[in-house]
Amino acid sequence: MKIPAHAQRGFTLIEVLVALVLLALLGLISWRGLDAVHRVSERLDARAEETLSLVRALGQVERDLRRHAGADVLPAWQAAVGGPASPGLSFPAAGIAWARESGLLLVRSTGDGRWQRLRWYVDQGVLYRAAGAPSYRLPLPEPGTAVAVLDGMRAWSLREWRPGQGWMDPQA
């Protein structure tokens, strides 16, 4: 008995092969798209980590600068760190000294009535922070062992705001 052509059910071999090829192409396109999204995600995560490290380092520098000792605490600050005779050293404010070679030197409050000397500097592309032991008495201990705060530094400079002039290099 012969089955009429209009009564056959199912797909022909050609139709199944075309469907498989289309599904394979769709899978390949999807895989490449997901791979591209994954690579972009990894790059964004790395950039976000770099940005977060930079924000943390700048936040610590800002906290240190906000707590710097004023002229009432350190009337002889310039003399204590070398004074005007020290080459390349500038004094943007009491308790703060800057030189490109030695970095940022400052005296800051620890919040409990004690004071401490700090030094921020760059060595071989790494930003370091060295802190002396907190003390109630002058002269304050020199900064001790430095801690690496941020790597990948290309340059380290300081600018101060001068009314009517804008941001200026303190050594200018």
Side-chain angles (χ1 to χ4, degrees), residues 71-87:
D72 56 332
V73 175
L74 295 171
W77 165 246
Q78 290 185 6
V81 294
S86 183

Side-chain angles (χ1 to χ4, degrees), residues 85-97:
S86 183
L89 206 57
S90 65
F91 300 90
I96 300 174

Side-chain angles (χ1 to χ4, degrees), residues 23-74:
L23 284 173
L25 286 174
L26 184 61
L28 179 65
I29 291 169
S30 298
W31 174 76
R32 291 191 58 131
L34 287 175
D35 184 51
V37 167
H38 179 70
R39 282 186 276 124
V40 167
S41 174
E42 286 177 343
R43 281 188 299 193
L44 286 175
D45 288 345
R47 295 288 171 117
E49 185 61 37
E50 288 174 4
T51 303
L52 188 57
S53 296
L54 182 61
V55 167
R56 277 191 223 119
L58 291 176
Q60 183 63 54
V61 171
E62 179 187 16
R63 282 188 297 278
D64 289 344
L65 287 171
R66 285 186 184 271
R67 296 177 139 192
H68 78 88
D72 56 332
V73 175
L74 295 171

Side-chain angles (χ1 to χ4, degrees), residues 83-129:
S86 183
L89 206 57
S90 65
F91 300 90
I96 300 174
W98 165 255
R100 279 187 183 85
E101 299 77 31
S102 59
L104 179 66
L105 308 169
L106 62 115
V107 173
R108 74 165 195 134
S109 167
T110 59
D112 59 359
R114 297 183 297 172
W115 298 91
Q116 117 186 101
R117 288 180 76 168
L118 298 176
R119 178 177 175 224
W120 286 87
Y121 64 97
V122 173
D123 185 26
Q124 297 181 2
V126 179
L127 178 65
Y128 291 96
R129 180 182 185 262

